[in-house]
Amino acid sequence: MEKRKKRLSMKDQYRAMTRLGWETTYQDMDKVFPYDRFEGIKIHNWEAWEDPFRMTMDAYWKFQAEKDKKLYAIIDSFAQNNAQKNLTDASYLSALKLFLTGVSPAEYQAHRGFAHIARHFRGDGPRVACQMQAIDELRHIQTQVHTMSHYNRHFNGFSEFPHWHDRVWYLSVPKSFFDDARTAGPFEFIVAIGFSFEYVLTNLLFVPFMSGAAFNGEMATVSFGFSAQSDEARHMTLGLQAIKFMLEQDPDNVPIVQRWIDKWTWRGYRVLVLVAAMMDYMLPESPQSWKEAWELYFEQNTVGLFNDLAKYGIKVPDCVARIKAEKEHASHQVWMTFYTHGAATAMHTWIPDEKKQKWLSEKYPETFDKYYRPIYDHWKERAEKGERYYSQMLPHLCQVCQVPVLFTETETDEPMKLHQRQTVYKEERYHFCSDHCQHIFEHEPEKYVYAWMPVQQIFQGNCGGPTIPDVLNFYKIEDGKENRDYKGSEDEVAYNMM
């Protein structure tokens, strides 16, 4: 009787199904993979980088299909049971609009970026891992759009999200983040997205949105959030492995990686200031303040990661001191900018009511009552007289992160003094919201002088015209329906009639 052949181990099965690369003979390998050396990263052994989860494509499809079956069953149930009636208040929908216009298109940008580097890394392991993450990101935007499309039947502001992502002034913050990452080399891209955003900062994005949804009766977003978070755990592992791989390959890689970590932690944080405003102001019921979230997810949890990386020579990003100083102020200053420019936002804005202001006082005892409550009192008095203020201008954006130049000198304890920096390059003056953005620009000025700046383009007459009606026409925002104050809006009326 013929002896039965021994079955391959899981590790050997994985290698047989994924290690399909080869050394080319009729073309130089540098021509086949032209992008993985120009950044200066030295790699001596690509075999040392494997997909951390060692999944085959067959296992990946089965795993994701099972998750999608459960998710879409919940989404269908949500729609059939008119679950929009369970929301605490329709003002909560501004948080969803911010997510749909700011985060979901960024998932697609991440998909394109990982698909690109899955082609251009010459190692088999990272190519397979990046290919799976590219598919994950595409799945994320699909599930997010399908989930939130339910609200398009009942409320304004959900129909033009791809158009707005490319044009509206505050949405250039996440757009420019990914434009910057995707125009970098493959190693910088994976540090930017795979490590700095997915590993260091992702909990500050997804957990607040999902917990905020749960607190405000919106279970569909909670469901797609759980589904996406199971992928995020894999993405975080890939990002950390990529960093360790580069650091272990050659000591010359350390200063390059450190510079990228410094840059992208700061750029990622600047995207998250929009989340800070969402957490503290857009949620009728807030489970946690921005300050508490930063202290929990970064100061307590993530700093330990940098202790582990210290043996390679990596240190905590130098921007952390600035972020720590801003945590008492960031959400208030961003929301006030939204409020004053509420005629040109793709969502509603409002003055926080007394219940919310009391909560803000408790969460920010050192700053809210001293600096920000008096401003809201003044604005409330004007609004009650029928003089609700709307700026007839758009805010001035930072040349790098494209957040409006709105933050103040918090590091020197001057929170009412504007923090603004300038650099003259080739006889042109460029403006920045911070020292960190100024340093990023001065390291690669040719990259950032060509940045698409929506506000500057509008006022130069390249996008329809310089007045607010011109801008709204360019944005495709229906004035009075999709912007301005929540009080008296069609969304509020529709919710109260349910």
Side-chain angles (χ1 to χ4, degrees), residues 441-452:
F441 175 90
E442 291 176 347
H443 184 74
E444 295 180 282
E446 285 296 323
K447 183 170 190 178
Y448 296 101
V449 297
Y450 294 108
W452 162 255

Side-chain angles (χ1 to χ4, degrees), residues 381-478:
E381 186 178 331
R382 286 195 57 163
E384 288 173 347
K385 293 178 181 175
E387 300 172 355
R388 203 285 200 193
Y389 175 71
Y390 291 107
S391 172
Q392 295 305 302
M393 300 287 289
L394 294 181
H396 183 198
L397 304 186
C398 170
Q399 188 70 28
V400 171
C401 71
Q402 303 206 16
V403 171
V405 182
L406 62 92
F407 294 104
T408 56
E409 298 282 4
T410 50
E411 281 184 296
T412 55
D413 199 23
E414 299 174 278
M416 293 293 106
K417 181 180 177 182
L418 194 63
H419 183 90
Q420 184 179 20
R421 301 291 183 267
Q422 300 176 1
T423 291
V424 176
Y425 178 73
K426 292 185 177 178
E427 301 181 352
E428 293 284 343
R429 188 178 301 278
Y430 297 92
H431 300 267
F432 310 97
C433 69
S434 62
D435 295 325
H436 302 288
C437 283
Q438 185 179 29
H439 295 159
I440 291 170
F441 175 90
E442 291 176 347
H443 184 74
E444 295 180 282
E446 285 296 323
K447 183 170 190 178
Y448 296 101
V449 297
Y450 294 108
W452 162 255
M453 305 289 288
V455 176
Q456 281 84 336
Q457 291 296 319
I458 287 168
F459 287 122
Q460 288 171 17
N462 298 325
C463 304
T467 67
I468 290 296
D470 292 334
V471 169
L472 295 181
N473 186 49
F474 174 65
Y475 286 172
K476 293 187 181 179
I477 288 178
E478 290 193 63

Side-chain angles (χ1 to χ4, degrees), residues 202-307:
T202 190
N203 283 334
L204 285 160
L205 171 64
F206 278 97
V207 176
F209 265 109
M210 304 319 150
S211 59
F215 260 60
N216 290 280
E218 211 269 286
M219 301 312 294
T221 292
V222 175
S223 301
F224 83 61
F226 277 133
S227 179
Q229 274 299 89
S230 63
D231 294 333
E232 297 300 327
R234 182 154 39 83
H235 301 171
M236 292 167 72
T237 308
L238 175 61
L240 182 60
Q241 190 183 43
I243 285 283
K244 291 184 174 179
F245 171 72
M246 284 184 267
L247 297 174
E248 290 171 354
Q249 286 293 305
D250 197 291
D252 289 349
N253 295 340
V254 175
I256 301 173
V257 172
Q258 180 71 62
R259 178 166 53 79
W260 287 340
I261 291 175
D262 290 347
K263 169 185 173 181
W264 288 102
T265 301
W266 177 251
R267 289 225 58 189
Y269 161 68
R270 274 301 193 235
V271 175
L272 292 177
V273 297
L274 302 180
V275 181
M278 182 281 294
M279 293 177 68
D280 286 348
Y281 285 91
M282 297 184 198
L283 300 178
E285 298 292 339
S286 297
Q288 188 178 41
S289 71
W290 162 254
K291 176 185 168 185
E292 291 170 330
W294 173 260
E295 291 172 345
L296 174 62
Y297 294 118
F298 192 93
E299 293 181 7
Q300 295 181 30
N301 296 343
T302 306
V303 169
L305 163 69
F306 287 100
N307 293 335

